[in-house]
Amino acid sequence: MDKERTILIVDDEETTLRGLTKSLEVWADGRFRIRSAGSAREALQTAQAEKVHVLVTDICMPEMTGLELIEEIQQTGQQPVSLILSGHSEFEFAQTAIRLGVLNYLVKPVQKKKLIQSVEEALEKEFTQERAGIMQKAADHSLADLEQNQKQMTSPVQAGKDYIDLHISRQLTLKEVAEHVHLNPSYFSVIFKEQTGLTFSDYVTRKRIQKAKQLLLTTTIPVADVAETAGYQTAKYFNKIFKEYEGLTPGQFRRHHR
């Protein structure tokens, strides 16, 4: 996931809108574009200016309901994954919401944890929809579109790889990296293997060995420090894994290449 994805929050209650926006901005930490609108009309203007991937909208607004807003945006050709907000627990618009593909219904006041969880689910669904669309384009043999969209499709995996590179010096788990890119761990594992040709574990090990080799060749720091910097808790285990991959111990590798 990346900054190319836009999350639009719509609510005519200024205090609620400000609170929801702030919560998602802190959670997103710059990874997504967070937009806010105080009316349905303002929301439509935003949707005209940029593609909206996830829409979080109040259901009761003066100009039009949240469901009418979703329908208006869909008529422009966009298909954002939608979440609706209401101050009432009674859901009178269930059939319409189902028809429009609304993912979740959140009752105000929305708990921050529930909001973030729902948005993460929406992003995962949006990515799955995008992937399905890409596969359909492949079936239509539209090569130019396929190449362009393939770049978008790989973005969660690339974001995961970037995260691994940034945190290679410490312990990493598939669950942690999957959560970072807002995908289910099992699904992330599958697409990671598809797009890198390696399992998550193999990829991380190879990156650690690559980091270690760089340190062994360009510094004189002790092997134990190399092991720690490359993310290994003990030098003994590092020596074992390094020899399995390189056929030499770290010390032998350093001497051989000097």
Side-chain angles (χ1 to χ4, degrees):
M1 305 284 183
D2 52 38
K3 291 183 180 178
E4 293 303 313
R5 281 171 164 72
T6 295
I7 300 169
L8 174 60
I9 311 150
V10 190
D11 200 306
D12 62 323
E13 296 176 1
E14 184 179 350
T15 302
T16 302
L17 180 63
R18 190 164 54 243
L20 294 172
T21 303
K22 182 65 175 177
S23 293
L24 289 183
E25 285 177 342
V26 171
W27 160 79
D29 193 26
R31 292 170 296 174
F32 308 102
R33 287 191 296 249
I34 307 297
R35 301 287 190 253
S36 63
S39 67
R41 187 176 302 280
E42 187 180 345
L44 288 172
Q45 291 174 347
T46 299
Q48 289 172 355
E50 59 186 297
K51 181 177 180 181
V52 176
H53 298 83
V54 173
L55 175 66
V56 183
T57 179
D58 186 18
I59 201 168
C60 296
M61 295 184 290
E63 298 171 331
M64 64 177 71
T65 69
L67 294 177
E68 289 171 338
L69 170 61
I70 293 169
E71 199 159 20
E72 286 282 335
I73 292 177
Q74 288 180 353
Q75 287 176 1
T76 69
Q78 294 195 43
Q79 295 291 329
V81 177
S82 301
L83 305 169
I84 57 175
L85 308 164
S86 175
H88 307 284
S89 59
E90 298 82 22
F91 191 23
E92 302 171 357
F93 310 100
Q95 290 184 334
T96 304
I98 291 170
R99 176 174 62 80
L100 295 173
V102 171
L103 178 65
N104 206 345
Y105 173 72
L106 305 174
V107 179
K108 296 179 182 179
V110 183
Q111 293 183 347
K112 182 179 177 181
K113 182 178 180 181
K114 180 65 175 177
L115 171 67
I116 291 172
Q117 179 186 351
S118 298
V119 169
E120 288 176 345
E121 290 173 357
L123 285 165
E124 182 175 342
K125 181 178 179 181
E126 192 278 330
F127 174 72
T128 302
Q129 287 181 173
E130 181 183 62
R131 181 180 174 87
I134 292 167
M135 299 309 291
Q136 182 60 49
K137 287 184 179 180
D140 295 339
H141 307 296
S142 179
L143 186 59
D145 285 345
L146 179 61
E147 289 176 347
Q148 175 63 31
N149 285 293
Q150 185 70 17
K151 295 177 182 178
Q152 295 179 8
M153 185 176 71
T154 58
S155 61
V157 171
Q158 185 58 54
K161 289 165 67 177
D162 292 343
Y163 186 84
I164 291 168
D165 288 344
L166 191 62
H167 300 90
I168 198 67
S169 296
R170 64 171 177 79
Q171 296 302 299
L172 287 166
T173 65
L174 172 65
K175 183 175 183 291
E176 175 189 347
V177 179
E179 286 178 348
H180 175 71
V181 299
H182 308 293
L183 290 181
N184 175 278
S186 297
Y187 180 59
F188 178 67
S189 177
V190 171
I191 64 170
F192 192 91
K193 177 71 180 296
E194 283 180 357
Q195 295 176 23
T196 65
L198 297 169
T199 64
F200 175 82
S201 178
D202 284 343
Y203 181 85
V204 171
T205 298
R206 288 173 186 259
K207 294 300 289 187
R208 294 195 194 286
I209 296 298
Q210 182 181 345
K211 178 71 172 179
K213 287 165 66 175
Q214 177 188 7
L215 292 169
L216 290 167
L217 294 176
T218 60
T219 74
T220 58
I221 64 176
V223 169
D225 292 342
V226 171
E228 183 179 352
T229 304
Y232 290 96
Q233 293 181 312
T234 68
K236 182 178 180 180
Y237 183 65
F238 167 60
N239 286 346
K240 176 178 178 293
I241 297 298
F242 191 93
K243 189 170 184 179
E244 286 179 3
Y245 273 79
E246 298 297 325
L248 299 169
T249 67
Q252 290 170 338
F253 178 87
R254 176 177 264 169
R255 290 192 296 271
H256 178 76
H257 287 84
R258 286 188 174 180

